Amino acid sequence: GHLTITVPSGWPAPQAANPANPGYVTAAKGNCASAAKPAVTGTGPWTVKVKMKCAAGKHFIVTYGAGTGSTKVQAPDTAASYAFAASVTLGNGTHKLSVPPVVVDPGPAADLVVAGLPSPSETGAPYPVTVTADDAFGNVATGYVGSVHFTSSDPGASLPGDYTFTAADAGTHTFADGAVFLHEGTQSVTATDTADSGITGSDSVPVNGVLFVSPSGSDSNPGTQAQPLGTVSAAVSEAANSSPPFAVDVAGGTYNEGGGVNVPGNMTIEGGFDPSTWQQSGSQTTTITGSPQAVLANGATGVLLDDLTLQSSAPSGFGQSTYGLRAVNNAGVTLQTVTVVAGNATAGQAGAAG
């Protein structure tokens, strides 16, 4: 008869040619009459076949990893459960043998993987951050229960506090609303084990500058999604302090901007945002009002206005004009889904009676 053994992919390739190389397979007859040299076929999984002559109650021995170079078979790098199989064929009958699976467990944590930040990200927006402990072979170190500390290249970033992993985390934990950037540019978030600084990892993404405005906000706020500004003018003034200027995202609602929003060059103002999600849902209307104009672009170029209603009224007095959008001195303004409504100008002063 013969014995057939299946070696799963991922393990060292079995071979019967060179005892100095990995995966060497031998067969010893034990107290059987004979056990032939193993024959190996396949490229993973592999089939090892051993012809033998053996009476009932007798045994022979097949060893995988019996070479002179090593007395053991090196387990795969990938942690998993591996199914070996074996069967014995005697005459016309084949008997499947019970072989328990071989489970390769992950090793201890060697580094941390930080993920979840969208690319690009935006300032002022909270983003979930996921930290996963990996072993030296890239398997999730499910037994990791260390503590991690967060840092960022953005000195103004809001980050999660120190966290100790639990067994229930199984090596990975997501921090909802974990990072809020304050500065634009390429920024990173780094997690480091507090006991072993060599166990660390980072995620780096480009960050676009954005300030957020909502009717429920305040101009004393920093202009984040959680703490938006209250007027478009305040956001534009603050955005212009950066180069290039931050964009301004405005939630649905009506904003009375006094004499109007004075936009500088390369400024983007987008409306229609739902302040509960800060997504443009299509159901929100953002209206900017002012007198004599809603928006003034005086020589400003590279201006983009999107998803807005600009509505103006004339100041009090005789002969006053009004402009929904006033673009003068070679200003360059692009409008996308913008409604412009200018109110009536005021009548001129009556002349003297003739």
Side-chain angles (χ1 to χ4, degrees):
H2 64 266
L3 170 72
T4 301
I5 300 172
T6 301
V7 178
S9 299
W11 289 79
Q15 52 87 21
N18 191 338
N21 289 341
Y24 186 60
V25 184
T26 62
K29 70 176 184 177
N31 57 10
C32 292
S34 67
K37 180 179 179 179
V40 180
T41 57
T43 56
W46 298 270
T47 299
V48 179
K49 183 176 289 188
V50 178
K51 293 182 179 180
M52 48 73 179
K53 290 182 180 180
C54 205
K58 304 297 182 178
H59 71 275
F60 63 99
I61 301 169
V62 177
T63 304
Y64 172 42
T68 57
S70 172
T71 59
K72 298 180 180 180
V73 172
Q74 182 173 329
D77 293 342
T78 302
S81 177
Y82 293 88
F84 286 74
S87 63
V88 174
T89 299
L90 299 172
N92 294 326
T94 298
H95 308 277
K96 185 176 181 180
L97 304 181
S98 177
V99 180
V102 177
V103 177
V104 177
D105 293 325
D111 57 55
L112 300 176
V113 177
V114 179
L117 297 173
S119 181
S121 295
E122 294 181 345
T123 59
Y127 296 114
V129 175
T130 298
V131 178
T132 301
D134 279 359
D135 68 8
F137 302 103
N139 302 296
V140 177
T142 54
Y144 179 70
V145 289
S147 298
V148 296
H149 175 73
F150 289 91
T151 56
S152 175
S153 59
D154 182 349
S158 174
L159 300 169
D162 290 2
Y163 177 77
T164 300
F165 279 67
T166 67
D169 288 323
T172 186
H173 186 83
T174 297
F175 301 83
D177 300 342
V180 180
F181 294 111
L182 184 63
H183 298 96
E184 63 183 341
T186 299
Q187 304 291 1
S188 63
V189 172
T190 300
T192 304
D193 185 278
T194 58
D196 184 350
S197 61
I199 302 175
T200 187
S202 295
D203 191 15
S204 180
V205 293
V207 179
N208 296 331
V210 180
L211 291 174
F212 298 88
V213 184
S214 170
S216 62
S218 169
D219 285 348
S220 62
N221 285 342
T224 63
Q225 289 185 357
Q227 295 180 290
L229 294 161
T231 65
V232 179
S233 293
V236 167
S237 178
E238 178 66 26
N241 292 329
S242 298
S243 181
F246 278 24
V248 175
D249 287 357
V250 190
T254 299
Y255 301 84
N256 185 350
E257 298 294 330
V261 178
N262 190 351
V263 293
N266 300 312
M267 174 64 63
T268 296
I269 303 175
E270 294 185 279
F273 288 90
D274 182 339
S276 66
T277 61
W278 288 105
Q279 300 294 316
Q280 289 174 306
S281 62
S283 63
Q284 300 282 327
T285 300
T286 299
T287 301
I288 298 175
T289 67
S291 177
Q293 64 260 319
V295 172
L296 170 63
N298 187 355
T301 59
V303 176
L304 172 63
L305 304 179
D306 175 46
D307 204 355
L308 299 168
T309 295
L310 309 181
Q311 187 171 324
S312 67
S313 60
S316 60
F318 294 109
Q320 298 296 316
S321 299
T322 179
Y323 317 87
L325 167 63
R326 189 179 183 190
V328 295
N329 294 326
N330 296 314
V333 181
T334 299
L335 305 181
Q336 294 181 175
T337 319
V338 173
T339 300
V340 180
V341 180
N344 294 324
T346 61
Q349 189 170 9

